[in-house]
Amino acid sequence: MPADTADNLAVLTRRLHELALDYDVEARGGVAILTPRGQGAANLEVSARRLLVQLARDAGFANVALEV
Amino acid sequence: MSLPDVAEHDAESRAQALGKEEELRHWLRAHAPVLIGYSGGVDSAYLAVVARETLGEAGVLAVIGRSPSYPDVQWEMARRVAHRFGVPLIEIDTDELSDPRYAANPTNRCYFCKSVLWDSLRPLAASRGFSVVVDGTNADDVGEYRPGKGAAAERGVASPLAEVGLTKDEIRLLSRARDMPTWSQPSSPCLSSRLPYGTAVTPERLRLVERAESALRSLGITGDVRVRYHDDLARVELSAAELQTWLEPARATTLAAAVRAAGFARVAIDLRGFRSGSLNVLSGITPA
């Protein structure tokens, strides 16, 4: 894994943890793949979706997807 | 412009589009007879129908370059439109996947694909007495990253829709006026565009993506849909109108099951939704 991707992963993982958002994170190219732990996938409202997109972009990812 | 906006076009916009269409007719008369690289997409279908209207049956030939990188449903639409509007049509096979420069999936992959296509169509045009080979590039395409345009330009392929300034929205409007089924058809780039640059293009991967997208359509999902290939994982891009609906847990489960049944092990829904050329963004070709 490239160093910058590892950095992006670390940053996003930390931010999600700080916000008590319970996801595993992996990188596929420039995309962050979020996998909910437990019941985390339930009813992702528009505001929550936008927050996840913003967090991923702030961490250096071009995009983010939610595993279902 | 979204599709509903097409229906709400004001009179001035319609008049402007019709004016450009008249310019297109002039262009076609000046260059007839024309051979069209025809995919059955919004643009080339419109061009073929206007050419048929303007030049008659003898003045136009639409040619499908059948490629494994397009879904079968695309060719079915292409044939249906040609038949309904009386456009003379022939089909030839192209095999860009046998070119290792294409199969390696570089960022200029489209250049090699279009080179194969135009190198097949130009001698065909010459042998049948067609003056010019044309494609369906429109005015909106001109500023985009499209390496395939280079292959066309090198071979003298003309783009009359772009030359007269017809935009995608105007082409949809004018297609709708003819009751063409393509007027509301989503853009349909080749299946290879679902694979990240550098990921080899293989028939198996193309068919996997095709099956997955077909499965999503079977669920009733409309509008732009893309299944982006990330090895075992499918990243599904949906239109803004569909995205929030399919993030609802029960529906997301249904969606995931359909894509898994098509052959992917894992499924993720893109939280930004459909964006044309999103793999160009991931490759740094275009900004996020």
Side-chain angles (χ1 to χ4, degrees):
Chain A
M1 181 188 302
D4 55 346
T5 302
D7 290 346
N8 296 348
L9 265 181
V11 170
L12 181 56
T13 301
R14 186 174 67 247
R15 286 294 289 140
L16 290 168
H17 180 73
E18 288 168 355
L19 296 168
L21 296 169
D22 205 14
Y23 295 100
D24 290 322
V25 189
E26 66 180 287
R28 295 287 179 116
V31 183
I33 307 295
L34 306 182
T35 303
R37 299 186 192 123
Q39 299 301 310
N43 290 324
L44 190 67
E45 300 294 342
V46 173
S47 58
R49 172 161 59 88
R50 288 180 179 154
L51 172 63
L52 292 174
V53 170
Q54 192 58 52
L55 290 172
R57 295 189 70 181
D58 289 348
F61 288 99
N63 208 352
V64 61
L66 179 71
E67 185 164 11
V68 292
Chain B
M1 180 175 61
S2 64
L3 292 178
D5 291 336
V6 171
E8 295 162 5
H9 251 63
D10 59 36
E12 185 178 348
S13 299
R14 288 174 189 274
Q16 189 171 34
L18 287 169
K20 291 179 184 178
E21 185 172 272
E22 195 52 40
E23 286 183 51
L24 176 62
R25 292 185 189 281
H26 284 301
W27 192 101
L28 290 166
R29 289 190 195 101
H31 294 83
V34 300
L35 184 145
I36 300 175
Y38 176 72
S39 69
V42 178
D43 303 316
S44 68
Y46 167 75
L47 177 58
V49 169
V50 174
R52 173 65 177 82
E53 291 172 357
T54 306
L55 306 176
E57 191 172 339
V60 59
L61 178 64
V63 183
I64 291 176
R66 282 171 51 95
S67 153
S69 60
Y70 275 88
D72 286 342
V73 66
Q74 175 88 15
W75 307 133
E76 290 160 14
M77 173 64 88
R79 293 184 196 106
R80 195 157 66 242
V81 169
H83 178 73
R84 179 173 158 198
F85 291 89
V87 178
L89 174 69
I90 64 172
E91 301 183 31
I92 61 172
D93 287 322
T94 62
D95 186 18
E96 65 274 12
L97 263 63
S98 65
D99 182 343
R101 296 171 299 177
Y102 176 91
N105 200 9
T107 55
N108 63 341
R109 176 196 67 230
C110 299
Y111 174 86
F112 300 110
C113 174
K114 294 303 183 187
S115 296
V116 170
L117 176 66
W118 302 126
D119 283 344
S120 301
L121 265 56
R122 286 177 69 225
L124 181 67
S127 69
R128 295 188 174 222
F130 283 85
S131 309
V132 64
V133 177
V134 300
D135 70 8
T137 300
N138 68 51
D140 292 331
D141 298 331
V142 172
E144 294 187 355
Y145 176 73
R146 287 178 180 252
K149 284 188 301 193
E154 288 170 8
R155 291 159 177 82
V157 175
S159 302
L161 299 176
E163 285 193 35
V164 303
L166 275 165
T167 65
K168 189 77 154 193
D169 291 342
E170 290 169 332
I171 291 166
R172 290 191 187 280
L173 177 74
L174 296 164
S175 299
R176 190 182 190 215
R178 291 173 168 79
D179 195 27
M180 293 177 63
T182 48
W183 84 268
S184 60
Q185 183 172 290
S187 297
S188 48
C190 82
L191 293 167
S192 298
S193 69
R194 314 314 197 253
L195 277 58
Y197 293 122
T199 298
V201 180
T202 67
E204 294 76 20
R205 287 170 176 166
L206 296 176
R207 297 286 78 80
L208 175 61
V209 168
E210 182 179 7
R211 284 197 304 273
E213 291 190 357
S214 176
L216 293 174
R217 296 278 182 207
S218 297
L219 294 177
I221 295 174
T222 59
D224 288 301
V225 175
R226 300 285 187 274
V227 171
R228 306 292 186 186
Y229 175 94
H230 295 279
D231 299 313
D232 62 328
L233 184 142
R235 176 166 56 90
V236 177
E237 292 183 355
L238 304 173
S239 68
E242 298 276 9
L243 176 57
Q244 202 58 38
T245 299
W246 289 94
L247 282 170
E248 190 273 321
R251 284 181 177 263
T253 300
T254 301
L255 180 150
V259 176
R260 284 196 196 95
F264 281 99
R266 299 172 62 194
V267 185
I269 298 178
D270 190 292
L271 295 184
R272 294 183 73 184
F274 166 74
R275 287 173 303 140
S276 177
S278 74
L279 289 176
N280 286 341
V281 173
L282 296 183
S283 298
I285 293 171
T286 52

